[in-house]
């Protein structure tokens, strides 16, 4: 069966990219492309047409409205990159120049980064030999700070442009990431799973149909028009093991199929410095975490058809994932647990359809999916543990965390997204998008909350969450596409119904129904080496199901949450100097946010809960430079400062905190990196890379401190403030270094890499002063079959 499958796809077509430019270097859109006298379509707005051709020689003919006609012969070799640039000289319609064009993905990256939005694209295609997960690369991006409570599998929270948590939305191929479960999250996704990551800061593009407040992250799954098969295996400290498998096959009839999957396991038994009771008092000792094991599996299989008269692309995807996580401690590492755990299984089916109509003027994309989750949260232990893993009490009531949980929940998700784009002319486009989302939760917990009035387990009563987002935009190109503008209006509606419980088991029925409007505008100017962008959005972010229903573990539900709203302003500039063997780029951005009813995770013992916070104001600046003096070395750094303040506090008792920094959020951080490349080092065709990445996070406040009592940025901290600042050991900030070496064998099939994270073994602290892993070692092998 396997041999038949491979034989069916053998001898397939390969991707070909035709890029048309005029003699001034401007991309030529809507140019008709004929291959051996057969019409294959027209170039897009950046002058590119993607084809699928078998290996061989072809006659290419280009026809433009102005009567320009060019003929050229090309040779397609499937083992090579088939990127062809044809230059059309309007003064001589019979002349054409054929040369190799830049790789299409780079063109796409540049196109996205030159949109009116503040966006950064992280290309991962050359990072598949790197260890760790995608979060490690996100954390090095300008303006991005990731927060986590541990190692592999721990919850990851992002800070982007001064906003954090669910204010920043995550997507997988434009689909809300919540539909894929914990098996596909920032803490578990190896880099081999993705093609690129798109980071939108402040203003979101219309096609995502998102209600994000502070921006979003779209993770694009790895795929291709060319056959490939790859596996990887990584072993690391703390008994960490990670494996990936990626397969894509396509035949000459454009039928394709593939698989993407990952396995993750870690004991997460890194050392922490914690108090342990001895015979007379408590003493701080370095001990291993003993109950923090994580195991996750994720796999997606897909089949589809391309380039048919009734569909440009039709794909069916089936996904399975599971996630198991032991729970070691509470949010502040005060309490220690030895038996509590959570477990999840996810089943998802997805259909994606794309088609162009009316001579490619109308583009339609429709996606719909269904997901089913089974989750468990078990906390029934009748014993208690200390940090050494010793039992210190027995025969107690069930539950280490509170009064015990034997919780089983079933979630059903339905989601669909429609995107339409209509070209009014070569330079004017209308865009429409709609996202519908529905979730139903039902379960049981005999040890959980009971409604006093009805006398029933509140989880047996279904809780529902619905939302519907719509957006309509007008995008225009001006002055030979140097100036681009976009204006859009958005509509949001959501509805919730279920129970809310407190920390003591009392429960009451709750429901919410609300709708909001938003709008945005953006401008981009690009000429020569300069790029300037400005964008504004009145954004609304609906509370999501995680904030409303909690995480079924340590975060309680709150069905009374209000949407949070924000005025977002971004101003970005970039200057580049590009030469044959060197390059230098400077980029800077200013951002401003004014947020009302911000949704904030309120820490409580033993459970936390999302609540609506008072107003906050964010002012920030980010800067990044990249320099490559020669082909074999590149270096750069970035820095971000964000002043996040509580404003407009109405309660007199808390008025002294007006204009204080929002606590538990780093406000100054940055990265520095050096990468070197050596070819033909030991054998012709091989290459070796060395990397050094450094990260700095300035001290930040654990709790709110009146502005008048804040220490200066780099000044000393008073003794009474030491316990209020992270880290609490007197350091001005936390500085870590990662190094790595990567060797690609000459046959290009095998890559071996070795990395050391936090090479100095620096003590690291994050959310609510939770301790992070120390020094770790990683060894990774990547093998490409073809």
């Amino acid at each position: 069966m396997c041999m038949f499958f491979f034989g069916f796809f053998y001898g397939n077509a390969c991707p070909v990219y035709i890029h048309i430019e005029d003699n001034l270097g401007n991309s030529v859109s809507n140019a008709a492309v004929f291959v051996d006298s057969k019409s294959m379509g027209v170039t897009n707005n950046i002058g590119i047409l993607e084809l699928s051709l078998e290996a061989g020689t072809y006659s290419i003919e280009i026809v433009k409205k102005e009567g320009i006609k060019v003929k050229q012969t090309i040779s397609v070799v499937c083992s090579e990159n088939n990127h062809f640039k044809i230059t059309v000289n309007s003064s001589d319609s019979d002349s054409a120049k054929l040369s190799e064009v830049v790789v299409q993905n780079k063109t796409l990256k540049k196109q996205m980064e030159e949109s009116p939005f503040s966006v950064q694209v992280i290309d991962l295609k050359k990072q598949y030999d790197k260890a760790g997960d995608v979060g490690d690369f996100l954390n090095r991006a300008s303006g991005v700070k990731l927060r986590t409570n541990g190692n592999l599998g721990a919850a990851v929270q992002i800070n982007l442009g001064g906003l954090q948590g669910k204010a920043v939305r995550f997507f997988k191929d434009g689909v809300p990431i919540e539909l894929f479960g914990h098996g596909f999250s920032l803490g578990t996704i190896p880099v081999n799973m993705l093609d690129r990551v798109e980071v939108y800061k402040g203003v979101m593009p219309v096609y995502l149909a998102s209600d994000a407040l502070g921006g979003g992250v779209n993770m694009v799954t790895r795929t291709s028009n060319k056959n490939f098969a790859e596996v990887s295996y990584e072993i690391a400290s703390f008994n960490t093991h990670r494996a990936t498998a990626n397969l894509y096959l396509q035949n000459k009839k454009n039928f394709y199929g593939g698989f993407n999957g990952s396995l993750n396991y870690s004991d997460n038994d890194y050392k922490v410095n914690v108090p342990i009771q001895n015979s007379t008092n408590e003493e701080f000792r370095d001990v291993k975490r003993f109950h923090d094991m994580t195991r996750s599996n994720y796999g997606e299989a897909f089949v589809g058809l391309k380039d048919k008269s009734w569909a440009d692309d039709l794909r069916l995807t089936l996904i399975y994932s599971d996630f198991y996580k032991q729970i070691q401690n509470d949010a502040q590492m005060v309490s220690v647990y030895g038996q509590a755990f959570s477990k999840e299984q996810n089943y998802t089916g997805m259909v994606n359809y794309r088609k162009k109509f009316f001579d490619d003027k109308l583009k339609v994309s429709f996606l719909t999916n269904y997901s089913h989750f089974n989750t468990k949260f078990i906390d029934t232990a009748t014993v208690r543990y200390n940090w050494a893993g010793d039992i210190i009490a027995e025969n107690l009531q069930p539950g280490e965390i509170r009064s015990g949980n034997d919780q089983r929940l079933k979630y059903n998700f339905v989601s669909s997204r429609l995107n339409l784009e209509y070209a009014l002319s070569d330079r004017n486009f209308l865009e429409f998008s709609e996202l519908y989302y529905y979730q139903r939760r039902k379960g049981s917990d005999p040890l959980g909350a009971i409604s006093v009035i009805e006398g029933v387990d509140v989880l047996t009563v279904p809780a529902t969450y619905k939302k519907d987002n719509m957006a309509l935009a007008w995008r225009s190109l001006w002055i030979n596409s140097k100036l681009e503008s976009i204006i859009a209006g958005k509509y949001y509606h959501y509805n919730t119904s279920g129970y809310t419980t407190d920390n003591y088991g009392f429960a009451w029925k709750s429901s919410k129904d609300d709708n909001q409007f938003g709008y945005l505008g953006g401008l981009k100017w690009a000429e020569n080496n300069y790029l300037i962008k400005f964008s504004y959005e009145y954004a609304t972010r609906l509370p999501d199901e995680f904030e409303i229903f909690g995480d079924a573990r340590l975060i309680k539900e709150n069905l009374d949450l209000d949407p949070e709203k924000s005025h977002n302003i971004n101003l970005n500039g970039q200057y580049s100097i590009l030469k044959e063997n060197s390059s230098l780029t400077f980029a800077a951005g200013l951002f401003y946010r004014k947020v009302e009813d911000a949704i904030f995770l309120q820490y409580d013992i033993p459970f936390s809960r999302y609540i609506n916070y008072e107003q906050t104001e964010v002012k920030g600046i980010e800067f990044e430079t990249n320099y490559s003096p020669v082909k074999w070395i590149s270096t750069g750094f970035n820095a971000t400062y964000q002043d996040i303040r509580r404003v407009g506090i109405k309660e007199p008792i808390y008025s002294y905190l007006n204009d204080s920094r929002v606590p538990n959020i780093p406000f100054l951080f940055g990265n520095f990196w050096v990468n070197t490349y050596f070819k033909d080092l030991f054998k012709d065709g091989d290459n070796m890379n060395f990397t050094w990445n450094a990260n700095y996070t300035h001290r930040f406040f654990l709790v709110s401190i009146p502005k008048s009592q804040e220490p200066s940025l780099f000044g000393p901290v008073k003794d009474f403030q030491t316990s209020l600042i992270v880290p609490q050991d007197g350091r001005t900030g936390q500085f870590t270094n990662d190094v790595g070496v990567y060797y690609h064998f000459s046959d290009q099939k095998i890559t071996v890499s070795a990395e050391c994270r936090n090479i100095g073994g620096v003590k690291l602290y994050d959310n609510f002063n939770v301790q992070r892993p120390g020094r770790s070692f990683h060894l990774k092998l990547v093998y490409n079959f073809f």
Side-chain angles (χ1 to χ4, degrees):
M1 183 66 180
C2 182
M3 293 298 295
F4 172 79
F5 189 61
F6 274 84
F8 179 76
F9 284 100
Y10 188 79
N12 68 311
C14 51
V16 176
Y17 303 96
I18 306 296
H19 187 187
I20 312 300
E21 290 186 348
D22 62 20
N23 55 308
L24 300 178
N26 298 315
S27 296
V28 178
S29 61
N30 290 317
V33 179
F34 292 81
V35 177
D36 290 343
S37 300
K38 180 182 177 181
S39 176
M40 303 299 289
V42 298
T43 55
N44 59 19
N45 61 342
I46 58 172
I48 293 176
L49 176 65
E50 178 182 349
L51 306 175
S52 183
L53 301 174
E54 295 184 17
T57 301
Y58 297 90
S59 174
I60 303 296
E61 186 176 4
I62 310 299
V63 179
K64 185 65 176 157
K65 292 180 180 179
E66 294 81 0
I68 300 174
K69 181 181 293 187
V70 176
K71 290 185 178 181
Q72 181 65 48
T73 299
I74 65 170
S75 295
V76 175
V77 181
C78 285
S79 61
E80 299 179 359
N81 289 325
N82 296 287
H83 305 275
F84 303 102
K85 180 190 293 181
I86 297 179
T87 302
V88 178
N89 192 329
S90 58
S91 62
D92 184 0
S93 60
D94 294 325
S95 66
K97 179 182 179 182
L98 182 65
S99 61
E100 190 174 9
V101 73
V102 294
V103 178
Q104 167 69 0
N105 283 331
K106 291 186 178 179
T107 303
L108 177 61
K109 177 178 185 294
K110 184 177 180 181
Q111 178 195 9
M112 295 180 63
E113 292 185 335
E114 290 187 353
S115 72
F117 304 113
S118 178
V119 57
Q120 183 174 358
V121 180
I122 303 173
D123 192 347
L124 296 177
K125 287 185 293 298
K126 295 183 179 180
Q127 310 298 333
Y128 296 149
D129 53 356
K130 304 299 190 296
D133 50 55
V134 66
D136 297 319
F137 291 87
L138 262 178
N139 201 41
R140 299 168 189 166
S142 175
V144 178
K145 186 64 181 175
L146 294 188
R147 320 289 307 286
T148 182
N149 293 332
N151 195 39
L152 177 66
V156 178
Q157 177 175 295
I158 189 172
N159 181 285
L160 178 62
L163 299 179
Q164 54 282 321
K166 293 294 182 172
V168 181
R169 292 297 195 190
F170 283 89
F171 303 87
K172 176 186 179 292
D173 300 321
V175 180
I177 199 173
E178 293 85 2
L179 299 173
F180 301 96
H182 286 90
F184 191 92
S185 65
L186 282 183
T188 59
I189 308 171
V191 293
N192 302 65
M193 295 284 290
L194 301 179
D195 179 84
R196 65 183 183 275
V197 179
E198 304 162 2
V199 183
Y200 295 94
K201 304 173 183 178
V203 180
M204 292 287 289
V206 170
Y207 85 92
L208 288 175
S210 172
D211 56 323
L213 192 76
V217 177
N218 185 33
M219 293 174 283
V220 181
T221 303
R222 184 178 178 184
T223 187
S224 174
N225 285 331
K226 180 180 178 181
N227 288 352
F228 76 89
E230 177 193 279
V231 295
S232 74
Y233 178 74
E234 175 189 343
I235 185 171
S237 301
F238 321 124
N239 195 26
T240 299
H241 302 266
R242 314 185 72 159
T244 67
N246 299 278
L247 172 69
Y248 182 90
L249 299 170
Q250 179 176 323
N251 68 8
K252 60 183 179 181
K253 294 183 179 180
N254 291 332
F255 177 76
Y256 66 89
F259 174 82
N260 297 311
S262 67
L263 306 175
N264 299 280
Y265 177 89
S266 180
D267 287 336
N268 291 324
D269 57 347
Y270 59 92
K271 288 185 176 181
V272 291
N273 187 256
V274 290
I276 297 179
Q277 182 71 39
N278 57 28
S279 57
T280 58
N281 62 353
E282 280 189 343
E283 62 176 348
F284 277 81
R285 288 162 45 188
D286 289 336
V287 298
K288 286 187 176 181
R289 298 172 67 87
F290 65 92
H291 187 66
D292 196 23
M293 187 269 280
T294 298
R295 180 182 64 246
S296 73
N297 305 293
Y298 178 88
E300 63 175 58
F302 57 89
V303 293
L305 279 168
K306 286 184 177 180
D307 301 326
K308 300 299 180 180
S309 59
W310 44 272
D312 294 338
D313 190 8
L314 176 64
R315 173 182 292 201
L316 170 65
T317 304
L318 299 176
I319 298 172
Y320 170 79
S321 70
D322 64 67
F323 182 80
Y324 174 84
K325 182 82 172 72
Q326 295 176 342
I327 301 174
Q328 176 72 89
N329 53 266
D330 65 349
Q332 286 188 324
M333 294 188 68
V334 174
S335 301
V336 57
Y337 314 129
Q339 294 187 25
F341 69 91
S342 66
K343 189 175 182 179
E344 175 187 294
Q345 289 179 315
N346 168 37
Y347 307 87
T348 297
M350 184 181 307
V351 177
N352 198 344
Y353 174 81
R354 291 190 295 111
K355 174 63 178 163
K356 298 176 183 177
F357 299 92
F358 310 128
D359 296 327
D360 295 343
K361 289 185 177 181
L362 175 63
K363 300 177 182 177
V364 178
S365 175
F366 178 74
L367 182 148
T368 186
N369 63 280
Y370 169 79
S371 296
H372 176 78
F373 288 9
N374 294 319
T375 70
K376 294 181 181 179
F377 172 40
I378 308 300
D379 176 27
T380 57
T382 58
V383 298
R384 303 295 182 264
Y385 294 82
N386 65 8
W387 274 106
D390 303 322
I391 295 176
I392 58 175
E394 297 181 284
N395 301 320
L396 301 178
Q397 70 175 22
E400 300 176 271
I401 298 176
R402 183 68 180 183
S403 57
N405 290 93
D406 187 10
Q407 183 185 96
R408 284 150 171 88
L409 296 175
K410 295 182 183 296
Y411 293 85
N412 294 301
F413 298 85
V414 176
S415 176
S416 62
R417 191 191 70 231
L418 174 66
N419 295 110
L420 303 174
E421 180 183 303
Y422 185 77
L424 300 172
S425 66
D426 291 347
R427 301 184 181 276
N428 288 277
F429 308 87
L430 283 179
E431 299 177 14
F432 173 80
S433 64
E434 180 178 14
L435 172 68
Y436 174 79
Y437 181 96
Y438 170 82
Q439 175 187 312
R440 183 180 186 270
R441 183 203 70 184
K442 185 179 181 181
S444 65
D445 188 350
L447 302 178
I450 303 295
S451 170
V452 177
I453 299 176
E454 287 86 357
V456 297
D457 178 352
V458 299
L459 291 180
T460 62
V461 179
T464 60
Y465 173 82
K466 305 175 186 177
K467 71 176 178 181
D468 190 13
N469 301 336
M470 288 184 284
L472 179 64
W474 174 31
R475 182 170 59 89
S476 300
L477 304 174
W478 314 84
I479 317 177
N480 295 324
S481 300
K482 295 179 181 179
L483 178 66
E484 181 177 352
S485 65
I486 185 170
I487 57 173
K490 294 184 176 183
Y491 171 76
Y492 316 94
H493 175 262
Y494 81 108
N495 174 277
T496 67
S497 176
Y499 271 94
T500 296
T501 62
D502 61 16
N503 287 351
Y504 303 98
F506 292 101
W508 59 94
K509 286 185 176 180
S510 300
S511 63
K512 189 88 172 180
D513 189 279
D514 199 358
N515 58 80
Q516 301 285 334
F517 291 90
Y519 44 88
L520 65 85
L523 288 172
K524 178 265 300 187
W525 176 268
E527 185 174 16
N528 299 326
N529 298 330
Y530 294 92
L531 174 64
I532 299 175
K533 299 191 288 186
F534 173 82
S535 59
Y536 163 78
E537 181 176 18
Y538 177 65
T540 294
R541 207 270 297 181
L542 307 178
D544 72 0
E545 74 289 339
F546 183 84
E547 295 161 328
I548 290 174
F549 296 139
D551 66 352
R553 292 179 293 171
L554 301 180
I555 299 177
K556 282 288 189 178
E557 67 283 337
N558 183 359
L559 275 73
D560 298 320
L561 283 173
D562 293 322
E564 54 184 1
K565 298 166 283 292
S566 177
H567 296 275
N568 297 335
I569 299 175
N570 298 278
L571 178 62
N572 302 86
Q574 179 178 299
Y575 177 72
S576 302
I577 302 175
L578 304 177
K579 296 183 179 180
E580 183 177 357
N581 294 316
S582 63
S583 64
L584 177 63
T585 301
F586 299 97
L590 297 173
F591 54 88
Y592 173 81
R593 317 275 187 261
K594 188 173 183 180
V595 184
E596 298 178 359
D597 296 324
I599 298 175
F600 190 79
L601 181 61
Q602 183 186 50
Y603 172 75
D604 199 355
I605 298 175
F607 300 106
S608 302
R609 192 189 304 270
Y610 285 95
I611 65 170
N612 285 112
Y613 214 53
E614 61 269 314
Q615 297 182 12
T616 58
E617 190 174 58
V618 182
K619 303 172 184 175
I621 183 172
E622 58 185 59
F623 177 83
E624 177 168 317
T625 183
N626 289 273
Y627 179 51
S628 180
V630 291
K631 285 186 175 180
W632 57 271
I633 187 171
S634 66
T635 183
F637 75 92
N638 59 45
T640 302
Y641 176 78
Q642 48 191 23
D643 195 34
I644 312 171
R645 301 281 177 176
R646 303 170 63 179
V647 297
I649 297 178
K650 298 178 181 179
E651 298 86 345
I653 191 174
Y654 297 116
S655 60
Y656 71 100
L657 293 176
N658 201 59
D659 212 26
S660 63
R661 290 190 189 275
V662 174
N664 197 38
I665 300 177
F667 53 86
L668 176 61
F669 49 88
N671 302 274
F672 174 78
W673 58 88
V674 176
N675 303 312
T676 61
Y677 312 88
F678 301 99
K679 292 186 176 181
D680 306 324
L681 193 63
F682 301 110
K683 189 176 181 180
D684 290 346
D686 72 352
N687 63 81
M688 179 176 286
N689 305 340
F690 295 91
T691 66
W692 169 37
N693 295 284
N695 176 268
Y696 175 78
T697 303
H698 197 65
R699 64 192 182 197
F700 57 95
F701 301 148
L702 182 62
V703 297
S704 296
I705 297 177
K707 187 175 183 179
S708 60
Q709 297 180 18
E710 290 179 10
S712 59
L713 192 60
F714 293 96
V717 176
K718 298 178 181 179
D719 292 339
F720 77 93
Q721 294 178 326
T722 302
S723 62
L724 308 178
I725 293 179
V726 180
Q728 299 177 345
D729 51 20
R731 283 180 288 167
T732 304
Q734 303 176 74
F735 186 78
T736 61
N737 294 272
D738 305 331
V739 295
V741 56
Y742 314 88
Y743 182 72
H744 304 256
F745 285 82
S746 56
D747 61 5
Q748 299 298 311
K749 287 189 174 183
I750 301 176
T751 301
V752 178
S753 64
E755 296 182 20
C756 181
R757 304 283 178 87
N758 190 6
I759 192 171
V762 176
K763 287 188 175 181
L764 301 176
Y765 301 87
D766 211 329
N767 287 327
F768 300 112
N769 207 39
V770 170
Q771 296 180 39
R772 298 282 306 279
R775 183 186 299 111
S776 64
F777 298 93
H778 305 253
L779 181 66
K780 184 174 182 179
L781 173 69
V782 181
Y783 182 79
N784 289 281
F785 291 91
F786 53 86

